[in-house]
Amino acid sequence: KQEVTQIPAALSVPEGENLVLNCSFTDSAIYNLQWFRQDPGKGLTSLLLIQSSQREQTSGRLNASLDKSSGRSTLYIAASQPGDSATYLCAVRRGGGSEKLVFGKGTKLTVNP
Amino acid sequence: NAGVMQNPRHLVRRRGQEARLRCSPMKGHSHVYWYRQLPEEGLKFMVYLQKENIIDESGMPKERFSAEFPKEGPSILRIQQVVRGDSAAYFCASSPAGVGYNEQFFGPGTRLTVL
């Protein structure tokens, strides 16, 4: 059974700092991995999707890496801003034709001005 | 191009009533997924549907819950005889058909409160 763990559960940083969020998964047989952002009381916004054959994806100040063999992914946020404050969720899609995503519980990020 | 739409955004029901949650996928998307987020928990998969077919319902509770995605109209998640433990945020996601395209786009969610 696939399990996804995100560490830390919460993180508070001053504005301008670079930071890394961690995601680990127990079954390396994944099809892809997605990072999402969730604002309080809102839905999920997809940030980056990494296919199992890829090592990283970049979008603006965000960079996500994937090490499938070790069951790890990191989300790197450069030059953090107060507007980055949100909960960041990691989700994996299992291989073998399964469509469902398995989510971690998220990391709640607070960027202080 | 409108995103995934869900309504209502907030729903209050008393124990024993029925709850109906609606999801309209993005234009051109024929795959719909329902997830539930319990307080202080991560999102959990419930069911995956294509038009007129349930493909995977492995995450659906065996009783009181049902889902459909008719040929015309939105997908419906129905919860009969709601209990307090059903209070949660219910999210719908959609994706296009086709091999290799696999990103899921999420709606804003319906927050169900059972009194």
Side-chain angles (χ1 to χ4, degrees), chain B residues 4-34:
Chain B
V4 178
M5 299 177 69
Q6 292 187 247
N7 67 79
R9 295 290 305 277
H10 299 274
L11 182 61
V12 179
R13 286 287 178 266
R14 296 190 180 280
R15 282 179 296 170
Q17 292 184 319
E18 178 179 289
R20 281 186 178 239
L21 288 62
R22 296 175 188 78
C23 169
S24 296
M26 288 180 68
K27 187 175 181 180
H29 288 192
S30 58
H31 296 201
V32 165
Y33 316 81
W34 286 93

Side-chain angles (χ1 to χ4, degrees), chain A residues 31 38 41 46 93 99 101, chain B residues 35 37 102-104 111:
Chain A
Y31 190 77
Q38 184 176 26
S46 180
R93 179 182 158 192
E99 297 280 340
L101 297 178
Chain B
Y35 294 83
Q37 186 175 37
N102 43 43
E103 186 171 3
Q104 295 183 19
R111 279 149 186 85

Side-chain angles (χ1 to χ4, degrees), chain B:
Chain B
N1 185 13
V4 178
M5 299 177 69
Q6 292 187 247
N7 67 79
R9 295 290 305 277
H10 299 274
L11 182 61
V12 179
R13 286 287 178 266
R14 296 190 180 280
R15 282 179 296 170
Q17 292 184 319
E18 178 179 289
R20 281 186 178 239
L21 288 62
R22 296 175 188 78
C23 169
S24 296
M26 288 180 68
K27 187 175 181 180
H29 288 192
S30 58
H31 296 201
V32 165
Y33 316 81
W34 286 93
Y35 294 83
R36 177 166 67 172
Q37 186 175 37
L38 293 165
E40 307 304 322
E41 294 288 329
L43 277 82
K44 303 289 186 188
F45 168 81
M46 299 182 75
V47 63
Y48 160 44
L49 310 101
Q50 297 177 15
K51 286 283 188 181
E52 301 183 279
N53 285 302
I54 297 175
I55 307 301
D56 181 356
E57 57 182 346
S58 59
M60 283 273 272
K62 294 287 187 284
E63 298 178 352
R64 302 187 298 107
F65 285 72
S66 62
E68 62 177 10
F69 188 17
K71 186 177 181 181
E72 301 290 338
S75 174
I76 306 288
L77 179 67
R78 182 183 178 205
I79 310 172
Q80 295 178 291
Q81 299 177 324
V82 296
V83 301
R84 289 221 173 103
D86 297 332
S87 295
Y90 292 82
F91 291 95
C92 168
S94 73
S95 68
V99 176
Y101 198 97
N102 43 43
E103 186 171 3
Q104 295 183 19
F105 296 86
F106 281 74
T110 293
R111 279 149 186 85
L112 172 65
T113 301
V114 179
L115 302 177

